[in-house]
Amino acid sequence: MTDQGNNNQNISRNPFAALFSSLADAKQFALGQKQEHSKPPSEDSGDSQSESENSVSDSIEDNDDSVAEISRSFRSRQELCEQLNVNHMIQRIFLITLDNSDPSLRGGNGIPSRCVYLEEMAADLDGQDWLDMDSIEQALFNRLLLLEPGNHLIYMTSCSMVNLSADRDAGEKCAIPYLYACYQRAKEEVTKVPEKLLPFAVRCKNLTISNARTVLLTPEIYVNQNVYEQLLDLLLEGVNSAQLDQVAEFAEEVIAGLLADQEVRTFGEVIVPVLDIFQGRVKDLDLCQLLLYSYLDVLLYFSQQKDIAKVLVEHIQPKDPSNGLQYQKTLLGTILNISCLLKTPGVVENHGYFLNPSRSSPQEMKVQESNIHQFMGQFHDKLHLILKNLLQQTNETRHLLLSWLGGCLQANTGRTKIWANQMPEIFFQMYASDAFFLNLGAALLKLCQPFCRPNSPKLLTFNPTYCALGELSEEERRNRNVHARGLDKETCLIPMPPQQNVEFAHSYSLLTENLILTQLTLHLGFHRLHDQMVKMNQSLHRLQGTWREAQLSGGPAAEQLREQFEHLMTVYLSTKAAATQPTMLQNCLHLQASCAALLVQLGMNNRGPDHLPLRYPLPLLTNNQLCHVPEFFVDNLGDFFIFLRRFADEVLETWAESLEQVLNFITMFMGNVERMSNPHLRAKLAEVLEAVMPHMEASSPGSTQPIVFQRQRVFCTYCHAPRLAEALITVFVDIEFTGDPHQFEQKFNYRRPMYSILKYMWNTESYRDSIKHLATYASENLEAMNPPLFLRFLNLLMNDAIFLLDEAIQFLSKIKVLQLERDRGAWDELSPDARREKESSLQMFGQLGRFHNIMSNETIGTLAFLTSEIKGIFVHPFLAERIISMLNYFLQHLVGPKMGALKVKDFSEFDFKPHQLVSDICTIYLNLGNEENFCASVPKDGRSYSPTLFCQTVRVLKKINKPGDMIVSFSLLADKIKSLADRHQQEEETYSEAPDEFLDPIMSTLMLDPVVLPSSNVTVDRSTIARHLLSDQTDPFNRSPLTMDQIRPNEELKQQILQWLAEHKEEREQMGPSG
């Protein structure tokens, strides 16, 4: 190679050549300098040269004359080296340059492969082709203003290989991601550069922050760029690439800059557009989309950053706080509205879950439900952390969030109103959705978990007086931590005694507020969802039956019904999946069990720091706080356990300790009007008791038999079993008189679960003994001032049995008539409207008949097992005649000549079980048949008894294959009663001649124990007035109050009656058999 070639090569390798626009310029400059310095150097210059050589970079060769000449144009080679290093560092950080020379003239050491050439700035600087700290700010500003930086890319090295990554980085169009990348490169430089360059690297890093701040404060300068969207995308990319910490570091510095400079725009004005973009993107995401969880991580970061968190909670405050739907339209509301429920109620199209369920196997649907539950678990975890972070921020942020929650719940109180649920088109315009409340409840439940243990001392710090506070100013709410509104208008467990003063706290704990807000959220949300599921379940059963009938008959209706069934099944399965997320149910179980324990402590007047064991007798209530506890606390508890029984029974087996707390609560409150005044609410506790007790049968046909080991253990070992049985019988009696205009119809629904509980209790020794004890006490105190509990219970039980079976018989008779008309073709001649009316009547009678049959089966069955070991009270004159007339009346319809009127097409469709009813009635007769006075009372039933009736009963027992010993025993009993009937016939003939004053004015029968009623002064038979007072404690002749202890025997009349009977008996004996 020639010397010229060597020289060219040396210059091109030299990093200082970057200071020249071309290799030729560098050579010309070097030659001029060589001539100028051809004179012998002075001593000073020699010293300077020696010093520069010691500091120059390794890339400068000592024998390179050209380099030496270039170096002498600067005051020192050290200065030149520093300038070049700064230039290269700026190029590496910002990927910009003023040097557009031939890449082959530049060295590759420390220079990026691509840079954006700032042509205009290079021209303005009149030939300066390097960047320094004086020019970098202007250069960076110019770079950010470029519309298409990719069009200005140049190669910085001689390597011309395609490098898409380098092109992308250098040509980044978006300001925020570009500055973030510069920030990251500047951070790297800070860790690598020599100490002398460190201040320059730090300044470059600060420039990225200050420019990011400028971009966000003056976005209108940057044409065709949405810088707020870019900031959100940057955070999203940080989440997706697991580099959120690095993005957050950049964001924190930018935020600090924004907070320090709020003249042009406030910090809120910068962040709100980001939040709006966030909301716009999230609202269309689905629960099972992974992208949703990336956005939630971004929101999680917002909640952790105190300044953004404050802007966030300010931003979500609705414009109209009184409109419940407005809360759903906020950013937080948009997130809460995401679920597997239908986005638009009733519209299944474009719904991504459980489509075509009739074509999917149960296993496929189970897998889909499990998948939804998994995503819901993650979703609720994120929501919980977001709320938790916001609550742990500044006092102002916490206050704003709790105010949002309190306002939201008050604005949505109408969700529980009956009218709102009957008018869905108005409902969805006024209130937030079911999904909103389901997710809010799940998140709040997680916030409650730290104190949701039944024996947690933290629970006892709950202060119910929070609920009694009326209107407060905003400042008072902030200072006293009271954000729920309108609770003072809620009905509480007991009315507040007039003499009791409320001791309000100066400030309420977050535990108190959390618990109340959570319970209120569940009340507004879960109750409605549960009600919807029950109704959908019922509709599906009806629709499925109609669809199957249509399939058999053929025609287009079958396909329409199939589509309806598919639609409703999709809605039902989606709702069930949303409502049965396992972790959510577990958290709710913990909360409700803990609230049960808390209410028991309040019911025992416990104001101390530790839980007290439940002991009887209960203390008198003094200055008690139950008068401040809203009824929805108990309503929620009831709803939840009933829901579990219906739709998630397995959850009840998971935490035995919770069941014991619930039993304590039911035992204390169900039969205690002093601690819970609402009889409807106490009756609901019986349904809760039925829900939590062991069930040996599957909850629905086709489902597996439930596991009940833990429940069986808890029930069988429950230490307050006698009190629980008494509480059940007490509420059975109490709901007879609720004061409600619909009490008569309601009581049967309330009592339905009580029968299965009684049956379970009867089969468990500890409970059975307590029931027998109540019966014994009643037998010994039949004429007490207040009728004994068990006596009133039996009286009402028989009242129900008579009414229910009588109604069932009437409905079955009507059903048979309608079925015969239809089958004979009589309906074919009717007009369409008339035919529809007939079909509607048949359906209505069928539903009513089925309900009354179910209930009458239960009442007669209950009497059957009770009479197996309890005899005395049943055979007492107070009850014996009533139960006998009831049993005979039923036998007359079930086995007598009237039985044909009940032969409907399908007994099972209406739950009509005549064989079982006959068997139970005969069992009751056999249980009591050993009591002489009971048998003697049977023939006295002049309305229904006849010897023929019992003979017909024996034939039916044989026909339905009852055991032989039962048939023989009943035949013997029938013979015994027949002989007593003959004797009774003779007595009746005697009584028919009795004077009117000897006859009971109500029953028109001969009085054997006449008594005088004090207020009306009317004489009646003792057994007649005793039966009356069981149901109505008033004088039947003037309605004045009356109890058994107030009546007085009419001894004079009694003696006259006895004398008259003796005389007639003597006359009969004298007349002999012929008489």
Side-chain angles (χ1 to χ4, degrees), residues 202 416 486 796:
V202 171
T416 59
L796 295 174

Side-chain angles (χ1 to χ4, degrees), residues 881 935-942 945 977-991 1005:
E881 290 182 12
C935 292
S937 299
V938 174
K940 295 179 182 179
D941 174 26
Y945 172 75
I977 292 173
K978 186 178 182 306
S979 64
L980 291 169
D982 294 338
R983 187 190 310 168
H984 175 72
Q985 180 65 31
Q986 296 174 1
E987 292 175 353
E988 279 293 300
E989 292 172 359
T990 302
Y991 298 160
T1005 55

